[in-house]
Amino acid sequence: MSPLALASGSATSTAPSVSLEEPAFRIKIPGGAVAWQLIVSRNGRHVLVNSADCALRLYGADECWASVDRDGVTDEVKPRFVFQDLVSKIAWTACDFSGDGEYVVGGCNSNPHMGDRYDLYLWNTGTGALIDQLTGPQVELHDLSFHPTRPFVAVATADGLIDVWGPRMDWTAFAPDFQALPRNVEYVEKEDEFDVVVDGDGADEERKKKEAEAKVKEEGATVDVVTIDQIPVFDSDSEDENAVHVFQFKI
């Protein structure tokens, strides 16, 4: 049977089987902090625990299973990485894995006035390094969900809207000398900047002519920007890309 991950109201998180028998392994949270959220990555390699001590702890699934000896006794499992804001000590409202399990996103509301704004933190699960920090609008964060196949994060907020965050566009990949400007600047063209100068022997001119024709042909090629390819990444036929963001709810 496949394991079922549970976060209890104590300082221990368990992973019992689906038949709710004895736990397969236990994860003890240091300091007796209450664990209020536990997430397993879609690839089954990582376990993320959100606890009341304002920390996100990332565990390796292989290390958790290896902690159980033949007698069923679980040794203490140490987290691979602990993600927290050491300066503000803000509690994490919600967290999630990316679809491939390579990144962890955590969302928190600002202090000391809750609801002023929210922040998103993105870490790498392989190195534990902070990849990016995003500042949201002046609204309280309720929950978040990572898209299973694409680099998008949906954030449910108190104003009834869902904010969708995407990757930053790196224009230097298209133009190495690109420089971002805070405002529009009027460009003054130089006198001979766009003049075509033909120089050299006949072979050189012929080569330049062929390069120019090839460039025009490449730019004139038809690019399909309408068709969306289906991505076979979902676990079963019941999952589709029309319902990929799932928010938790409390009863």
Side-chain angles (χ1 to χ4, degrees):
M1 295 184 180
S2 58
L4 173 67
L6 298 177
S8 64
S10 62
T12 304
S13 299
T14 62
S17 61
V18 177
S19 60
L20 298 181
E21 298 174 352
E22 289 296 325
F25 61 82
R26 292 181 173 89
I27 299 176
K28 185 177 182 181
I29 308 301
V34 176
W36 56 39
Q37 188 179 16
L38 189 148
I39 299 177
V40 180
S41 60
R42 293 177 66 91
N43 56 16
R45 298 180 181 177
H46 306 288
V47 179
L48 185 65
V49 179
N50 185 6
S51 54
D53 59 350
C54 306
L56 299 176
R57 290 178 173 84
L58 179 66
Y59 296 87
D62 295 338
E63 299 168 0
C64 293
W65 290 110
S67 63
V68 183
D69 57 16
R70 296 181 179 179
D71 298 331
V73 179
T74 304
D75 297 331
E76 183 178 356
V77 183
K78 295 183 179 180
R80 292 183 178 178
F81 303 106
V82 178
F83 307 125
Q84 60 183 158
D85 192 339
L86 298 176
V87 178
S88 57
K89 294 289 185 179
I90 301 177
W92 301 105
T93 305
C95 58
D96 197 8
F97 282 103
S98 61
D100 53 8
E102 293 186 2
Y103 301 98
V104 167
V105 60
C108 60
N109 292 299
S110 61
N111 263 343
H113 304 291
M114 303 298 290
D116 286 349
R117 62 178 174 82
Y118 67 85
D119 294 313
L120 299 179
Y121 294 78
L122 187 68
W123 296 277
N124 187 298
T125 57
T127 62
L130 179 63
I131 303 300
D132 203 351
Q133 178 180 352
L134 306 172
T135 300
Q138 294 183 354
V139 66
E140 184 179 357
L141 178 147
H142 284 336
D143 202 355
L144 61 84
S145 178
F146 220 124
H147 194 287
T149 59
R150 293 180 172 85
F152 295 104
V153 178
V155 178
T157 58
D159 58 2
L161 301 178
I162 297 179
D163 300 337
V164 179
W165 295 80
R168 300 175 186 268
M169 180 62 71
D170 185 12
W171 294 104
T172 58
F174 304 94
D177 56 347
F178 173 80
Q179 294 181 356
L181 300 176
R183 62 180 65 88
N184 293 333
V185 176
E186 182 179 358
Y187 181 76
V188 179
E189 177 186 346
K190 298 180 181 179
E191 183 177 355
D192 57 347
E193 183 173 2
F194 298 101
D195 293 346
V196 178
V197 179
V198 179
D199 190 11
D201 53 10
D204 190 19
E205 293 180 5
E206 186 69 20
R207 179 181 59 82
K208 292 182 179 180
K209 183 178 179 181
K210 290 182 179 180
E211 291 178 355
E213 292 177 353
K215 185 176 181 181
V216 172
K217 185 177 180 181
E218 181 180 357
E219 293 178 352
T222 302
V223 179
D224 186 6
V225 296
V226 178
T227 304
I228 301 177
D229 296 333
Q230 187 69 22
I231 302 177
V233 74
F234 302 100
D235 297 335
S236 64
D237 296 337
S238 62
E239 295 181 338
D240 54 36
E241 291 192 69
N242 295 327
V244 294
H245 293 300
V246 179
F247 295 107
Q248 300 179 5
F249 60 91
K250 297 181 180 179
I251 300 177

